[in-house]
């Protein structure tokens, strides 16, 4: 078996834009330098690249987040050859229909989301059902940083450094029974703080629902994120807890989760309900299967503008070919 060792000349900084450096790293760096633990820090957070991209102050993080941060395994998964999307784009170009359908609506409106206290109902086919306070759900798991491509079904994409832990670890914690076949996820319903849920024009039957087959959910790439860019998850990105499934279109990566159910039937997901001929349950990124109204062969990698559209080829499973075995016997045109 070949083990790929990066040549010493290939600094990790070269893989990312300076814009990917964010405020919170400064604090982390100081702490780790004091402990002479520089080796534990991501290469791209080194002092010479700090401070070139300064955004708003990070949101105040809850105690359960701060406690875990110093133990993070940085860059546990990287995206080879990719530039990290600037923090500003990742937090101001969002889809989170609970806060409105415009790309800027989540950043403008999600500040009202109440994330403390937060609990998640775990029910269905599990040995340990119950309403878990988020701190109890997070406690057994060490944080990892994973730099994943995120490919929206609307044919744009980003590269985001998430913080969190594998979904499989959370599932093992609550112990699915042998009858469990699928995992169903639900987002918060809170019309008072989520203006999109008050809109009479909304097509969506709240709550937003997503689902995975249990073996997909157990795949090591399926991730529960509680942070991004080295800091706590901004509300518009799905605080305090969201799913990230990097080989599927972005709409599978459900935000602000309040319920996780282990079930024996495939759950009806939000976008399947709205337009079943356009959005399937599987929603694997696939350049060969077009959306009925547009091609999925290419994508706009953000930031993208009129004069530098930054269009790149879309990759099968968004480049995460290691999941192919999950679909070995399936026709991905039928199960889109
Ligand atoms: N609850 C909820 N989750 C959601 C959505 C939503 O509207 N509501 N939009 C999805 C879509 S279409 C995408 S592309 C991603 C966007 O995640 P980001 O804003 O963090 O980039 O969130 C997904 N999760
Ligand atoms: Mo999306």
């Amino acid at each position: 078996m070949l083990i790929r060792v990066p040549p010493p000349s290939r600094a990790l900084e070269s893989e990312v834009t300076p814009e990917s450096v964010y405020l919170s790293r400064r604090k982390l760096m100081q702490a780790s330098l004091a402990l002479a633990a520089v080796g534990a820090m991501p290469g791209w957070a080194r002092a010479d690249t700090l401070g070139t991209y300064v955004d708003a102050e990070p949101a105040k993080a809850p105690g359960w987040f701060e406690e875990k941060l110093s133990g993070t395994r940085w860059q546990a998964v990287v995206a080879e050859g990719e530039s990290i999307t600037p923090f500003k784009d990742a937090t101001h170009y969002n889809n989170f229909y609970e806060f409105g359908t415009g790309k800027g609506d989540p950043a403008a409106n999600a500040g009202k989301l109440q994330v403390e206290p937060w609990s998640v109902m775990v029910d269905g086919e599990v040995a340990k059902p119950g309403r878990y306070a988020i701190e109890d759900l997070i406690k057994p798991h060490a944080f990892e940083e994973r730099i994943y491509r995120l490919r929206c079904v609307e044919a744009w994409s980003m590269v985001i450094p998430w913080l969190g832990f594998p979904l499989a670890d959370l599932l093992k914690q609550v112990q699915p029974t042998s009858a469990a076949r699928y995992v169903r996820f639900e987002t918060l319903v809170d019309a008072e703080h989520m203006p999109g849920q008050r809109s009479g024009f909304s097509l969506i039957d709240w709550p937003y629902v997503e689902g995975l087959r249990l073996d997909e959910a157990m795949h090591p790439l399926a991730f529960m994120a509680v942070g991004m860019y080295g800091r706590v998850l901004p509300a518009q990105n799905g605080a305090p807890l969201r799913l990230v499934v990097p080989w599927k279109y972005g709409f599978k990566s459900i935000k602000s989760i309040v319920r996780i159910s282990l079930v024996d039937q495939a759950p009806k997901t939000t976008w399947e309900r709205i337009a079943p001929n356009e959005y399937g349950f599987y929603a694997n990124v696939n350049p060969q299967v077009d959306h009925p109204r547009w091609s999925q062969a290419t994508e706009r990698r953000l930031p993208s503008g009129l004069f530098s559209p930054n269009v790149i080829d879309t990759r099968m499973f968004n480049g995460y070919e290691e999941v192919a075995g999950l679909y070995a016997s399936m026709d991905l045109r039928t199960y889109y």
Side-chain angles (χ1 to χ4, degrees):
M1 169 144 153
L2 277 173
I3 298 171
R4 231 156 62 75
V5 180
S9 62
R10 203 212 57 187
L12 278 163
E13 288 97 317
S14 68
E15 292 176 0
V16 301
T17 58
E19 290 78 13
S20 68
V21 177
Y22 26 88
L23 205 58
S24 62
R25 290 283 184 214
R26 197 185 286 278
K27 223 166 62 192
L28 286 170
M29 270 308 294
Q30 284 161 353
S32 69
L33 281 170
L35 294 165
V38 184
M41 288 303 296
W44 45 281
R46 289 226 290 273
D48 52 341
T49 57
L50 279 168
T52 53
Y53 182 76
V54 176
D55 198 69
E57 284 293 326
K60 197 180 86 55
W64 56 261
F65 182 88
E66 292 292 350
E67 271 164 38
K68 288 278 176 177
L69 193 58
S70 62
T72 300
R73 224 178 108 215
W74 298 102
Q75 294 195 327
V77 176
V78 299
E80 286 288 338
E82 304 273 20
S83 298
I84 289 177
T85 301
F87 182 77
K88 182 88 185 192
D89 295 283
T91 54
H92 289 79
Y93 189 92
N94 300 102
N95 277 333
F96 198 168
Y97 279 26
E98 285 82 343
F99 294 103
T101 53
K103 292 288 183 281
D105 290 346
N109 298 328
K112 294 164 202 126
L113 180 69
Q114 305 289 304
V115 295
E116 272 191 284
W118 192 272
S119 63
V120 179
M121 175 62 98
V122 178
D123 60 5
E125 293 295 340
V126 279
K128 301 195 159 166
R131 182 175 289 285
Y132 289 75
I134 190 161
E135 35 279 73
D136 297 328
L137 213 51
I138 271 64
K139 205 174 286 164
H141 315 292
F143 284 2
E144 286 178 33
E145 182 181 55
R146 296 196 176 187
I147 304 172
Y148 280 163
R149 291 177 288 275
L150 174 82
R151 170 55 159 87
C152 177
V153 74
E154 299 162 339
W156 52 263
S157 63
M158 304 196 199
V159 179
I160 299 180
W162 302 105
L163 280 175
F165 52 91
L167 171 59
D169 292 355
L170 186 150
L171 293 174
K172 286 174 201 154
Q173 178 186 358
V174 300
Q175 299 174 14
T177 70
S178 59
R181 292 278 177 275
Y182 294 87
V183 190
R184 180 184 182 279
F185 302 88
E186 235 178 69
T187 296
L188 179 70
V189 178
D190 179 1
E192 190 189 334
H193 300 107
M194 293 175 144
Q197 292 181 338
R198 296 198 293 270
S199 161
F201 299 103
S202 178
L203 286 168
I204 298 179
D205 191 8
W206 311 104
Y208 193 97
V209 171
E210 259 308 334
L212 296 170
R213 223 169 51 196
L214 186 57
D215 59 340
E216 298 180 306
M218 294 300 287
H219 192 281
L221 285 173
F223 201 60
M224 296 303 296
V226 293
M228 62 193 260
Y229 296 79
R231 49 170 76 166
V232 76
L233 207 57
Q236 61 265 42
N237 295 92
L241 180 73
R242 60 124 11 121
L243 179 66
V244 183
V245 194
W247 71 93
K248 293 180 179 284
Y249 291 120
F251 66 84
K252 298 295 291 183
S253 293
I254 181 173
K255 296 175 170 181
S256 304
I257 295 167
V258 293
R259 186 174 174 197
I260 301 176
S261 312
L262 279 289
V263 292
D264 64 348
Q265 303 277 320
K268 265 277 170 276
T269 65
T270 290
W271 287 102
E272 259 187 300
R273 253 184 232 278
I274 296 169
N277 57 324
E278 300 186 10
Y279 310 103
F281 175 81
Y282 283 94
N284 292 313
V285 175
N286 189 339
Q288 281 143 37
V289 177
D290 288 338
H291 185 278
R293 293 181 280 129
W294 60 82
S295 163
Q296 294 292 24
T298 60
E299 64 202 54
R300 280 184 308 119
R301 172 60 58 79
L302 301 185
S304 144
L306 193 53
F307 299 107
S308 56
N310 204 19
V311 172
I312 60 173
D313 285 343
T314 290
R315 294 155 71 181
M316 188 64 208
F317 299 120
N318 202 22
Y320 300 96
E321 303 272 354
E322 60 264 56
V323 303
L326 292 169
Y327 313 103
S329 58
M330 290 172 57
D331 178 352
L332 296 179
R333 280 182 189 282
T334 309
Y335 298 99
Y336 53 91

